[in-house]
């Protein structure tokens, strides 16, 4: 499954309005949601049930509230081998659906209509904006199930809410005082608590290898904005084609402009907050001079015919078509090997994308992923307050996150898909060959969607390190990117959390909560002149100033000076 990791400012709802979404059908069931003392509890190593007391069959609705999140769903959702094995252990069958449009809009529509599926996985980057704010509001309105009474009964679920989470995010977002000690969110895709288990997403710029070869350009040499511009100019004038023989687009992104920020890394640093240090003074990110430079640079690319003018309106389907046909000579995002390995790289292996640079940031360091020891923001699961059988949902999650369940989720059926060798799972050679040649077979076995949206506090690469003979060429390629862009760890508390104690914080939030800075940037990109573009940007920045961003920044600076554990 494609793991879309879109982060906005903690102080900004950055959703781009899209078409209205259809409402999600769900089970509108009332009833007592207290833990069922008669239901079998799980344990931290094996939550499966004995055949003699197998749980009753239950069907639950599940929504993957991620744009394009259904890509990893098996064709037969209910009777693929992994789903059948989980049903044998838990009694649970999932009716799954996903979205291909705005996550924020879907959540707003869903909560407004009261049609919340039994289980939902959605982005949860912050509770002060975007999806997390919508989810927190729904929790306070009683639309989400309070999980607190259930956690001791389901130890693997309890581990998910306590492991691999940044200490400041846990304090201020997951356990916000507003929630009064109640737990509504189950994190997924979180590390196991070790630095080694933090996932490297390998965000960067990737250029078609055949084009670089034709231009006699070494990918590693393209590490500054000036060199990138020069490369894109050469591509524009090089008469290069996609697999259909149509002209390429020099540069672009995937859906909704994700991730255009990879093209402006020259004005970034190693940051973990919404504040920047400039000329010995703290400033709010949106008011930074860097925002002007980034806007003007991306505008230059667009106006010069070097960047896809449709990038910010691309649907997931349109964007993937451009990517998998080689129409984008350079794209900014993750390496997208899951999609490319079964499309473009099979039909046109010479077009395999290479990592540029890595690009350098404003300090001359490599532009790479910045993390705290635990994760701040993650895909998160919540249950509907109306779910008829919460124990069934938690039994499912508890089993999938047990030792036995994780083997099933990642490796499939022992003896059929893998064998244990020296305590580690290894693919049966014929199965590995089939999966390598056709990744869709692995998906349809049921081996893609569970790790991506149902497991957490875990790292398969740490628990089951692969030997070289077990790694695919794509595993090795992904690792090569990670070696070039190692994660930067900053063990600090984000300064963004200090702003929440500012007396005028809520007043500020009310003024900027619905303001879409990204939408204003896009207007500036396409303005008729540079002067008009700057006016649009400065007007947008004035929105933050009028709301009190400068006063808030002064407050944060004063509070940060009183501590030695604050990071910007």
């Amino acid at each position: 499954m494609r793991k879309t990791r879109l982060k906005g400012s903690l102080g900004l709802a950055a959703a781009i309005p899209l078409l209205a979404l259809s409402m999600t059908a769900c089970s509108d069931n009332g009833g007592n949601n207290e833990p069922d003392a008669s239901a079998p509890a799980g344990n931290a190593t094996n939550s499966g049930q004995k055949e003699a007391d197998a749980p009753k069959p239950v069907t639950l609705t599940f929504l993957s509230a991620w744009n394009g999140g259904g890509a990893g769903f098996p064709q037969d959702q209910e009777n693929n081998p992994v789903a059948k094995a989980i049903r044998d252990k838990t009694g649970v069958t999932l009716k799954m659906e996903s979205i291909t449009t705005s996550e924020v809009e879907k959540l707003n529509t869903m909560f407004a209509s009261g049609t919340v599926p039994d289980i939902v996985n959605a982005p949860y980057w912050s509770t002060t904006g975007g999806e997390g704010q919508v989810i927190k509001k729904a929790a306070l309105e009683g639309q989400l199930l309070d999980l607190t009474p259930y956690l001791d009964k389901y130890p693997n679920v309890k581990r998910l809410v306590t492991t691999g989470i940044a200490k400041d995010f846990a304090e201020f977002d997951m356990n916000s005082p507003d929630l009064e000690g109640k737990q509504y969110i189950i994190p997924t895709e979180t590390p196991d608590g070790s630095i080694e288990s933090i996932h490297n997403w390998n965000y960067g710029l990737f250029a078609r290898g055949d084009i670089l070869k034709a231009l006699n350009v070494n990918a590693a040499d393209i590490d500054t904005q000036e060199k990138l511009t020069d490369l894109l100019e050469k591509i524009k004038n090089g008469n290069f084609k996609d697999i259909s023989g149509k002209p390429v687009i020099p540069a672009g992104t995937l859906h909704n402009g994700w991730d255009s920020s990879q093209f402006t890394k020259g004005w970034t640093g190693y940051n973990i907050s919404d504040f920047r240090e400039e000329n010995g003074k703290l400033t709010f990110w949106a008011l930074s001079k860097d925002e002007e430079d980034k806007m003007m640079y991306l505008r230059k690319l667009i106006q010069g015919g070097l960047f896809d003018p449709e990038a910010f309106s691309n649907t997931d389907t349109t964007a993937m078509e451009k990517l998998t046909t080689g129409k984008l000579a350079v794209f900014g995002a993750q390496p997208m090997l899951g999609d490319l390995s079964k499309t473009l790289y099979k039909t046109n292996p010479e077009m395999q994308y290479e990592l540029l640079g890595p690009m350098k940031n404003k300090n001359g360091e490599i532009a790479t992923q910045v993390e705290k020891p635990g994760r701040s923001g993650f895909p998160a699961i919540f249950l509907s307050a109306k779910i008829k059988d919460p124990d069934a949902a938690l039994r499912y999650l508890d089993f999938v996150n047990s030792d036995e369940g994780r083997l099933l989720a990642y490796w499939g059926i022992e003896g059929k898909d893998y064998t244990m060798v020296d305590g580690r799972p290894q693919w049966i050679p014929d199965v590995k060959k089939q999966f390598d040649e056709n990744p869709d077979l692995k998906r349809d076995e049921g081996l893609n969607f569970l790790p991506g949206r149902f497991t957490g506090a875990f790292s398969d690469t740490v628990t089951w390190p692969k030997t070289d003979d077990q790694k695919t060429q794509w595993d090795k390629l992904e690792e090569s990117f990670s070696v070039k862009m190692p994660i930067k760890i900053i063990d600090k508390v984000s300064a963004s959390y200090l702003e929440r104690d500012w007396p005028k914080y809520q007043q500020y939030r009310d003024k900027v909560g619905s303001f879409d800075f990204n939408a204003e940037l896009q207007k500036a990109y396409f303005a008729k002149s540079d002067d008009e573009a700057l006016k649009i940007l400065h007007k947008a920045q004035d929105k933050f100033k009028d709301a009190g961003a400068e006063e808030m920044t002064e407050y944060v600076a004063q509070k940060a000076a009183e501590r030695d554990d604050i990071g910007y």
Side-chain angles (χ1 to χ4, degrees):
M1 178 181 293
R2 197 159 56 255
K3 295 184 176 66
T4 306
R5 192 173 186 241
L6 297 173
K7 285 193 178 181
S9 162
L10 289 175
L12 178 66
I16 300 174
L18 297 175
L19 297 175
L21 306 174
S22 60
M23 292 188 295
T24 305
C26 75
S27 55
D28 186 12
N29 298 310
N32 182 5
N33 281 341
E34 290 301 308
D36 179 3
S38 65
N43 63 70
T45 58
N46 187 344
S47 301
Q49 313 299 319
K50 297 179 180 178
E51 292 184 9
D53 59 353
K56 64 181 180 181
V58 178
T59 297
L60 301 174
T61 53
F62 168 74
L63 172 67
S64 176
W66 293 81
N67 189 330
F73 286 3
Q75 287 191 342
D76 185 342
Q77 296 182 5
E78 298 180 26
N79 294 303
N80 64 77
V82 170
K84 289 174 67 176
I86 294 176
R87 181 162 59 244
D88 288 344
K89 292 289 185 178
T90 68
V92 176
T93 298
L94 293 185
K95 293 279 189 181
M96 301 190 293
E97 70 168 301
S98 62
I99 65 173
T100 56
T101 47
S102 164
E103 293 90 348
V104 169
E105 280 197 33
K106 179 60 179 178
L107 292 171
N108 275 323
T109 302
M110 181 181 76
F111 290 130
S113 65
T115 55
V116 184
D118 296 319
I119 308 172
V120 179
N121 185 296
Y124 197 73
W125 307 131
S126 166
T127 57
T128 62
E131 300 89 351
Q133 184 179 44
V134 175
I135 294 169
K136 179 182 176 182
K137 180 174 180 289
L140 295 175
E141 292 173 347
Q143 295 200 63
L144 275 56
L145 180 69
D146 174 18
L147 302 167
T148 313
Y150 299 86
L151 293 180
D152 286 340
K153 183 178 176 182
Y154 297 100
N156 298 317
V157 176
K158 186 174 183 177
R159 188 180 67 251
L160 264 62
V161 304
T162 55
T163 304
I165 304 163
K167 56 187 178 183
D168 49 11
F169 192 88
E171 177 183 351
F172 293 97
D173 285 293
M174 279 193 64
N175 303 307
S176 165
D178 297 339
L179 301 176
E180 299 179 340
K182 297 178 180 179
Q183 182 67 58
Y184 296 96
I185 295 300
I186 302 173
T188 63
E189 294 189 34
T190 44
D192 66 10
S194 67
I195 299 300
E196 295 76 18
S197 68
I198 298 175
H199 185 77
N200 192 332
W201 300 96
N202 293 318
Y203 274 87
L205 295 177
F206 299 87
R208 262 179 45 185
D210 61 325
I211 293 178
L212 294 176
K213 183 177 180 181
L215 294 173
N216 195 29
V217 171
N218 179 11
D221 292 339
I222 310 301
D223 59 0
T224 66
Q225 311 306 137
E226 293 78 12
K227 293 177 183 178
L228 175 61
T229 304
D230 182 61
L231 172 62
L232 296 180
E233 290 281 6
K234 291 177 179 177
I235 292 173
K236 178 184 176 183
N237 298 322
N239 196 34
F240 296 105
K241 309 293 184 183
D242 64 13
I243 64 174
S244 301
K246 297 178 181 179
V248 300
I249 299 171
T253 67
L254 301 187
H255 65 274
N256 299 337
W258 175 65
D259 182 9
S260 62
S261 70
Q262 298 305 316
F263 290 88
T264 56
K265 286 299 183 180
W267 295 278
T268 64
Y270 293 153
N271 299 112
I272 60 171
S273 81
D274 286 345
F275 300 91
R276 307 287 182 263
E277 291 180 293
E278 289 186 351
N279 302 318
K281 185 179 179 182
L282 201 63
T283 188
F284 185 63
W285 73 272
L287 306 183
S288 167
K289 176 63 166 57
D290 292 331
E291 291 304 307
E292 182 174 306
D293 293 335
K294 287 192 286 186
M295 183 276 290
M296 291 300 289
Y297 179 76
L298 202 51
R299 170 179 164 77
K300 174 183 175 181
L301 296 186
I302 295 171
Q303 297 298 319
L306 304 179
F307 191 90
D308 185 5
E310 299 176 347
F312 302 99
S313 59
N314 276 335
T315 64
D316 185 66
T317 301
T318 301
M320 290 310 300
E321 181 180 354
K322 290 178 179 179
L323 177 71
T324 57
T325 59
K327 193 167 189 64
L328 299 178
V330 177
F331 74 90
Q334 301 160 245
M336 306 306 295
L337 295 180
D339 298 280
L340 289 167
S341 63
K342 59 187 179 184
T343 53
L344 182 66
Y345 294 174
K346 291 188 71 173
T347 61
N348 297 77
E350 75 283 359
M351 292 186 180
Q352 181 174 311
Y353 288 92
E354 298 181 23
L355 173 69
L356 295 182
M359 300 296 290
K360 298 287 179 58
N361 65 18
K362 63 190 294 183
N363 300 316
E365 302 162 315
I366 63 169
T368 192
Q369 181 175 325
V370 179
E371 297 285 354
K372 287 174 274 186
R375 190 167 178 184
S376 293
F378 30 70
I381 283 176
F382 57 83
L383 306 185
S384 168
K386 296 180 181 179
I387 185 172
K388 187 174 182 179
D389 193 342
D391 277 290
L394 293 167
R395 186 167 65 242
Y396 183 98
L397 290 167
D398 203 66
F399 172 72
V400 169
N401 285 280
S402 68
D403 291 345
E404 180 182 357
R406 288 188 301 232
L407 276 169
L408 187 60
Y410 282 86
W411 293 90
I413 311 300
E414 185 174 5
K416 174 181 175 294
D417 298 317
Y418 74 95
T419 57
M420 297 298 290
V421 179
D422 297 328
R424 297 179 184 174
Q426 290 190 6
W427 295 116
I428 293 173
D430 287 346
V431 173
K432 181 179 184 299
K433 184 173 184 295
Q434 293 178 48
F435 287 168
D436 290 349
E437 292 176 350
N438 185 1
D440 287 346
L441 294 177
K442 186 177 181 182
R443 176 200 69 195
D444 293 336
E445 183 87 357
L447 287 168
N448 283 7
F449 72 97
L450 288 170
R453 291 294 178 258
F454 287 87
T455 65
F458 180 70
S459 168
D460 61 316
T461 56
V462 172
T463 302
W464 307 306
K466 293 181 181 178
T467 57
D468 282 342
D469 63 316
Q470 286 287 309
K471 295 174 183 175
T472 68
Q473 67 183 104
W474 313 120
D475 291 332
K476 295 175 182 178
L477 182 58
E478 189 86 54
E479 288 179 356
S480 74
F481 298 146
S482 297
V483 169
K484 295 176 181 178
M485 298 186 292
I487 293 173
K488 173 70 174 178
I489 299 294
I490 298 180
D491 191 7
K492 296 282 187 178
V493 172
S494 169
S496 293
Y497 292 106
L498 300 180
E499 69 189 36
R500 300 185 186 188
D501 290 329
W502 179 44
K504 299 179 183 179
Y505 179 69
Q506 189 53 53
Q507 178 181 337
Y508 167 81
R509 287 295 311 146
D510 291 341
K511 289 182 178 180
V512 302
S514 61
F515 177 55
D516 194 338
F517 186 73
N518 286 342
E520 298 306 306
L521 280 179
Q522 290 170 36
K523 293 177 185 177
Y525 296 150
F526 296 96
K528 293 180 180 180
S529 68
D530 288 350
D531 285 343
E532 183 180 345
L534 288 170
K535 287 179 181 178
I536 293 172
L537 173 63
H538 294 158
K539 185 177 180 181
Q541 291 175 324
D542 286 342
K543 289 278 188 181
F544 289 105
K545 292 179 180 179
D546 293 343
E550 292 172 313
E551 182 181 346
M552 178 178 69
T553 302
E554 291 178 6
Y555 175 86
V556 169
Q558 292 172 4
K559 291 296 181 181
E562 299 171 3
R563 305 174 54 155
D564 60 4
D565 62 344
I566 300 300
Y568 302 114

